[in-house]
Amino acid sequence: MGEHKESLRKITTTLTLKNEEITNFICSLKQSLENLEANSDRVHGDLESEFTSLNAVLDQLKDGMLTRIKQERASRTYELQVNYQLSACSKALESSEELLDLANQTLCSSQTEGFMQVQPAPRVTMAPAFRLSLKAKASDNMSHMMVDFSQEREMLRGISFLPVPATPEIQVSECQVCDNTVSVLWTLQEPDSKIDHYTLEHRRTNHDGPPRLREEFPWMVVEGIRPMEHTLTGLRFDTRFMTFRVKACNKAVAGEFSEPVTLETHAFLFKLDAASAHQNLKVEELSVEWDSVGGKVQEIRKDKNRTNQSPMHSPARVSMMSPKRVPTVRPGRDRFTAESYTVLADTAIDAGQQYWEVRFDKESKAFAVGVALRSLGRFDQLGKSGASWCIHLNNWLQQSLTAKHNNKARTLDCAIPDRIGVYCNYEEGILSFYNAKLKQLMHTFRTKFTQPIIPAFMVWNGTFSVKTGLQVPSVVQSGQRKNSNTSSSNASLT
């Protein structure tokens, strides 16, 4: 009996899910019908508007050509008639007819005396007809105003709906992700001369494969791309992947999006763990400011409503939860104290090649950047134990930059940069520091990491900010490959 009930329960659950699926599909079909009606009305209106515009152009062209014909007719009429050529000829003809009558009468006269008295010959010689030009000043030919619309007629007959552009295909093998830039390249199966531009969309994601129904990040749009490739620059990779899709557009319509392509970003992302920081450090996610009186203790003194003023209840002793991990990267340990003005990252490194940068106040009395083991003591200063490696800036009597490990120091003969880049190759035990702007190597530690390491920072009387989500720069990678077979000159510090 129990088996039958369980079987029936499974069938009922399956049927319920199927019914929900069918219901959702029906809603989708109804929405498609509504969209179809709206879209058909839209394209119908667009077509009417286009033909109205075309007719307006033809009417305007017709009016202009008719006006030109009327102007040409008026000009020639003036030359032939109004400009006295026709009237002058008519008057000359009348005068000639009178002279002809007089001459005929004189010739028929039988009296010699009468002929000698009239003498019509000089008058006939001076007749206006002899002075007229019998060439028309304007032609009556209007053939130059004839038109032939045969080609245009054939072109108009060829008017049809603009074809939808073909769907591009992103060539994954040609795409590149390096130096915090992404280059995307796509192709078409057949050339299309009517394509005007392309639209590229990209979205951050922490999931590999096709986009999910609900994604955390929105699509970002890049429009007006002419070539079949595009490079996104200046990126900060705060997710593991980026998804891309592209569509082709002509003057009127856009085609379908290509199949989405997901590319891995290969970047190291972390935040500063305020729970590990010395109480004199005011820690944001990626920046630190020195507070000589300890900001958290100061807040207690200002709070008049607090009844328990014991240092044991001071917010300076209450560990803030790490923004990414619970518990913090220093489980079971207090924050740094005494003269260890240190703060750690919230993410450990246990494999691979990583890179991050830090910008610091060069006027700080002291500053250090490096890595540390989890076992770094709460009183330990960076570089003064075997559990940490760092570059240290000293601004006391004179400014100096040193590499420190296990309480040993080496002065570095290089200018103090605005930013320091940190490169770590965990498997090969390499920790290198660079002038981040020039990508010039400042110092390299070579060791063997037997435990996970954590980005570590120290500041006294100063500030700094960290930039994460960075890939290992290609210049750094190539430089590391060149030096991979050479021994380090800093072996005494490892």
Side-chain angles (χ1 to χ4, degrees):
M1 183 69 178
E3 294 180 357
H4 291 291
K5 286 186 176 181
E6 183 64 24
S7 178
L8 181 60
R9 188 177 292 109
K10 290 181 178 179
I11 295 175
T12 303
T13 302
T14 303
L15 183 59
T16 301
L17 294 175
K18 193 65 177 179
N19 287 343
E20 183 178 357
E21 184 180 349
I22 294 174
T23 301
N24 292 336
F25 183 66
I26 291 174
C27 292
S28 176
L29 288 178
K30 290 181 178 179
Q31 185 63 47
S32 296
L33 288 173
E34 292 179 3
N35 293 341
L36 176 62
E37 184 175 356
N39 290 333
S40 62
D41 290 341
R42 176 179 58 82
V43 297
H44 182 275
D46 290 343
L47 184 64
E48 290 284 356
S49 176
E50 287 294 333
F51 270 95
T52 300
S53 176
L54 182 60
N55 288 329
V57 171
L58 291 175
D59 288 340
Q60 184 179 7
L61 181 63
K62 175 183 176 182
D63 291 341
M65 297 179 76
L66 288 176
T67 299
R68 286 185 58 191
I69 292 176
K70 291 178 181 178
Q71 291 174 346
E72 185 74 10
R73 175 181 176 180
S75 175
R76 296 194 180 194
T77 299
Y78 177 81
E79 291 293 335
L80 295 175
Q81 182 176 2
V82 182
N83 200 23
Y84 304 113
Q85 188 171 20
L86 180 61
S87 59
C89 290
S90 299
K91 290 180 180 180
L93 182 61
E94 292 178 359
S95 177
S96 297
E97 289 178 349
E98 291 178 358
L99 289 174
L100 286 174
D101 290 340
L102 177 60
N104 289 329
Q105 292 177 6
T106 304
L107 290 174
C108 294
S109 176
S110 57
Q111 299 178 1
T112 303
E113 293 181 359
F115 180 82
M116 294 300 296
Q117 290 178 356
V118 174
Q119 294 184 357
R123 295 178 61 186
V124 174
T125 304
M126 297 298 296
F130 291 109
R131 300 191 300 272
L132 287 177
S133 172
L134 298 182
K135 182 179 180 180
K137 291 186 177 182
S139 172
D140 61 351
N141 189 352
M142 294 290 288
S143 60
H144 66 289
M145 290 291 192
M146 300 298 292
V147 294
D148 180 10
F149 287 141
S150 58
Q151 293 184 353
E152 288 77 5
R153 191 176 295 109
E154 291 299 322
M155 182 181 66
L156 290 174
R157 289 196 181 110
I159 291 178
S160 181
F161 292 104
L162 195 63
V164 177
T167 302
E169 181 180 359
I170 296 178
Q171 303 298 315
V172 181
S173 61
E174 300 295 330
C175 297
Q176 292 186 348
V177 183
C178 63
D179 295 322
N180 283 79
T181 67
V182 180
S183 297
V184 185
L185 184 144
W186 56 90
T187 58
L188 293 171
Q189 289 186 351
E190 296 182 0
D192 187 348
S193 60
K194 293 186 178 181
I195 290 179
D196 180 69
H197 65 275
Y198 297 90
T199 297
L200 178 69
E201 294 189 355
H202 58 92
R203 176 165 60 188
R204 296 174 293 162
T205 179
N206 284 309
H207 309 291
D208 196 3
R212 301 188 175 189
L213 184 61
R214 294 182 179 179
E215 286 283 355
E216 182 179 358
F217 301 98
W219 287 106
M220 307 302 292
V221 182
V222 183
E223 297 180 317
I225 302 173
R226 302 293 180 180
M228 290 194 291
E229 61 180 326
H230 187 72
T231 300
L232 298 172
T233 61
L235 300 175
R236 177 178 179 266
F237 294 135
D238 53 2
T239 56
R240 290 184 58 201
F241 303 94
M242 288 185 70
T243 301
F244 296 85
R245 64 183 185 182
V246 64
K247 64 181 178 181
C249 309
N250 54 34
K251 294 292 186 181
V253 67
E256 296 292 332
F257 275 109
S258 64
E259 287 295 324
V261 168
T262 301
L263 303 176
E264 191 170 0
T265 57
H266 301 288
F268 182 43
L269 184 71
F270 65 85
K271 296 178 182 178
L272 298 175
D273 182 11
S276 70
H278 191 284
Q279 70 175 17
N280 287 99
L281 302 183
K282 297 172 65 174
V283 179
E284 300 293 338
E285 289 186 347
L286 292 172
S287 63
V288 171
E289 180 181 356
W290 164 265
D291 185 353
S292 60
V293 297
K296 313 254 182 327
V297 175
Q298 195 177 34
E299 290 174 6
I300 291 180
R301 294 171 180 170
K302 292 182 179 180
D303 190 352
K304 298 180 180 179
N305 297 325
R306 185 180 297 274
T307 58
N308 191 343
Q309 298 292 335
S310 169
M312 292 300 294
H313 295 84
S314 165
R317 296 185 58 86
V318 178
S319 295
M320 296 174 60
M321 301 304 292
S322 169
K324 296 187 70 174
R325 296 189 179 185
V326 179
T328 71
V329 294
R330 291 168 57 82
R333 301 181 65 87
D334 242 335
R335 63 176 66 239
F336 290 102
T337 189
E339 294 184 359
S340 181
Y341 303 106
T342 304
V343 60
L344 301 178
D346 66 350
T347 304
I349 301 172
D350 56 8
Q353 301 179 57
Q354 316 297 347
Y355 179 83
W356 63 97
E357 293 181 356
V358 56
R359 182 185 294 273
F360 58 95
D361 180 6
K362 290 194 290 186
E363 301 301 321
S364 303
K365 289 298 183 183
F367 171 77
V369 55
V371 299
L373 303 179
R374 292 179 184 272
S375 58
L376 183 67
R378 61 193 294 255
F379 296 96
D380 292 342
Q381 299 180 39
L382 290 185
K384 290 192 174 183
S385 72
S388 61
W389 299 256
C390 74
I391 290 287
H392 183 272
L393 169 68
N394 186 3
N395 247 342
W396 276 99
L397 297 179
Q398 61 181 7
Q399 198 174 60
S400 63
L401 196 64
T402 57
K404 290 186 175 183
H405 170 64
N406 202 19
N407 209 24
K408 297 179 181 179
R410 179 185 295 274
T411 301
L412 303 181
D413 185 17
C414 61
I416 299 175
D418 294 326
R419 303 192 322 271
I420 294 179
V422 184
Y423 166 80
C424 176
N425 187 324
Y426 186 85
E427 284 80 7
E428 296 186 11
I430 295 176
L431 180 65
S432 296
F433 297 87
Y434 286 83
N435 180 320
K437 182 178 180 180
L438 304 177
K439 297 299 184 290
Q440 291 179 347
L441 180 63
M442 300 166 59
H443 184 79
T444 295
F445 290 103
R446 293 185 183 274
T447 185
K448 183 177 182 180
F449 299 121
T450 58
Q451 303 175 37
I453 55 178
I454 307 167
F457 310 86
M458 184 280 293
V459 67
W460 187 59
N461 275 353
T463 61
F464 71 87
S465 61
V466 182
K467 189 173 183 181
T468 68
L470 301 177
Q471 296 177 313
V472 179
S474 56
V475 176
V476 172
Q477 283 187 327
S478 61
Q480 289 291 329
R481 284 194 293 267
K482 291 179 181 177
N483 298 328
S484 61
N485 296 325
T486 62
S487 60
S488 174
S489 60
N490 308 304
S492 60
L493 296 178
T494 59

